[in-house]
Amino acid sequence: MPELPEVETIARGLRKTLTGKRVESLNVLDSSVLRQDESTLRKLVVSRVVESVERRAKLLMLGLEGDVVFAFHLKMTGRVLAKPGDYAPGARDRIIARLSGAATLSFQDVRRFGYCLALPVEDLQRWPFYATLGPEPLSMGREAFAARFAGRKASIKSLLLNQCMIAGIGNIYADESLFAAGIHPEARPVDLSDERLGALYDSLTAVLRKAIQENGSSIRDYLNAEGEPGAFQNSFQAYGRKGQPCKRCGAPLQASRVAGRTSTYCPACQRRR
DNA sequence: GGGATTGTTTAAAT
DNA sequence: GATTTAAACAATCC
């Protein structure tokens, strides 16, 4: 579930506690979350200082001393938590890093869909997933967004979820932004004016900013770096509200399968074209 | 126990 | 080749 706002919230929390601290040891409790040999990971991570904590798309990226990036993808149920130095690993922990200053980084994932990967920065652009990521929604701008989507014939929902088109959007924020803009998930950009695409951009960025303010959305698994849930799930207008009244017009929300996943929308406020 | 859940990759179709 | 669609996959929950 962690999408852009959740990963951004985690990054902000970790930045405060991990920046400037040195990785003293790494404990791999479940090697299935690795994308490389444990020895390679260890060589790239252990004994390096954490210089920065950033987010790109849904990736959490620790910038390490010596131009190395330690990246985490949380997929559905991953967590990255800042714990005290005496933290004892639990059943969900996959990787534990002990840092100077009595800090522990805990990478948890019940379902093990998530992964982590350390790379020298010069190899980042050779990582196909990273190299093909689309622009960041909060910094690309309204005109660039409209131009990028204009003329496309796939459903707007599938394009919003496509990380090559735009980075960091998942099912929650796709449904919420389409509701806010009054656009049907199956609408095709080719049928939408630049004005409507621009309005979608405004809705999308407003939803993302509000969600970041609220520390993300917690459905069942997401926690921020401090182990606290987010609050944006209390502001959902569409996601997961099938059958409940539209908060704008009162009509019952509908759900259908678009781009292979459940999409919840208001049949009255979000017309197909 | 079957269906739903999700982000990404891969394959297939257009 | 570009674009679009669909299926597959990971593991767990209810």
Side-chain angles (χ1 to χ4, degrees), chain A residues 27-30 79 81 83 86-98 104-110 112:
Chain A
N27 188 5
V28 178
L29 301 155
D30 183 343
R79 295 171 176 165
L81 300 157
K83 296 288 191 180
D86 61 356
Y87 172 72
R92 297 178 160 199
D93 282 298
R94 306 301 172 209
I95 290 182
I96 293 288
R98 305 287 183 185
T104 300
L105 180 151
S106 155
F107 176 38
Q108 307 183 344
D109 192 352
V110 187
R112 300 182 180 90

Side-chain angles (χ1 to χ4, degrees), chain A residues 3 10-11 26 28 30 34 54 64 67 71-72 87 91 100-101 111 119 142 148 151 205 218 225 236:
Chain A
E3 304 178 27
I10 293 170
L26 197 64
V28 178
D30 183 343
L34 304 185
E54 305 293 337
L64 304 182
D67 291 324
F72 297 81
Y87 172 72
S100 58
R111 301 193 187 180
L119 289 171
R142 182 179 162 122
R148 200 167 175 82
T205 51
S218 291
F236 285 169

Side-chain angles (χ1 to χ4, degrees), chain A residues 80 182 244:
Chain A
V80 177
Q244 295 178 52

Side-chain angles (χ1 to χ4, degrees), chain A residues 16-247:
Chain A
K16 287 183 287 190
T17 49
L18 296 189
T19 306
K21 291 178 179 164
R22 187 180 302 276
V23 180
E24 292 178 335
S25 66
L26 197 64
N27 188 5
V28 178
L29 301 155
D30 183 343
S31 59
S32 67
V33 302
L34 304 185
R35 291 290 179 95
Q36 60 200 146
D37 289 345
E38 184 176 335
S39 58
T40 306
L41 172 68
R42 204 169 280 286
K43 193 171 299 180
L44 287 167
V45 169
V46 175
S47 85
R48 293 181 196 259
V49 170
V50 178
E51 293 178 335
S52 64
V53 182
E54 305 293 337
R55 176 198 58 77
R56 168 73 171 118
K58 299 167 191 170
L59 286 172
L60 177 71
M61 313 186 75
L62 307 187
L64 304 182
E65 184 182 11
D67 291 324
V68 167
V69 168
F70 190 14
F72 297 81
H73 199 305
L74 307 180
K75 290 289 186 82
M76 280 186 76
T77 58
R79 295 171 176 165
V80 177
L81 300 157
K83 296 288 191 180
D86 61 356
Y87 172 72
R92 297 178 160 199
D93 282 298
R94 306 301 172 209
I95 290 182
I96 293 288
R98 305 287 183 185
L99 292 97
S100 58
T104 300
L105 180 151
S106 155
F107 176 38
Q108 307 183 344
D109 192 352
V110 187
R111 301 193 187 180
R112 300 182 180 90
F113 295 174
Y115 60 86
C116 65
L117 177 66
L119 289 171
V121 286
E122 63 263 30
D123 289 344
L124 256 191
Q125 292 300 334
R126 293 187 211 119
W127 179 15
F129 172 65
Y130 188 86
T132 58
L133 284 173
E136 285 289 326
L138 292 176
S139 51
M140 70 186 297
R142 182 179 162 122
E143 294 76 15
F145 177 91
R148 200 167 175 82
F149 284 77
R152 291 295 201 125
K153 293 175 179 166
S155 69
I156 185 66
K157 172 80 180 253
S158 71
L159 294 168
L160 285 173
L161 295 175
N162 182 343
Q163 301 300 296
C164 304
M165 285 294 295
I166 186 167
I169 313 301
N171 209 25
I172 293 173
Y173 298 102
D175 276 7
E176 290 298 313
S177 59
L178 288 170
F179 175 88
I183 295 176
H184 192 286
E186 289 179 274
R188 308 183 307 163
V190 70
D191 298 323
L192 297 170
S193 64
D194 278 358
E195 285 70 26
R196 300 215 55 207
L197 286 173
L200 174 59
Y201 179 76
D202 293 341
S203 296
L204 173 65
T205 51
V207 165
L208 293 174
R209 287 201 176 90
K210 175 88 185 312
I212 292 169
Q213 265 182 2
E214 300 283 325
N215 292 315
S217 306
S218 291
I219 310 295
R220 56 176 327 111
D221 294 288
Y222 165 71
L223 299 174
N224 69 11
E226 289 79 28
E228 306 155 340
F232 192 70
Q233 68 279 5
N234 301 318
S235 301
F236 285 169
Q237 307 284 303
Y239 180 85
R241 297 191 69 246
K242 175 187 177 183
Q244 295 178 52
C246 170
K247 295 193 177 181

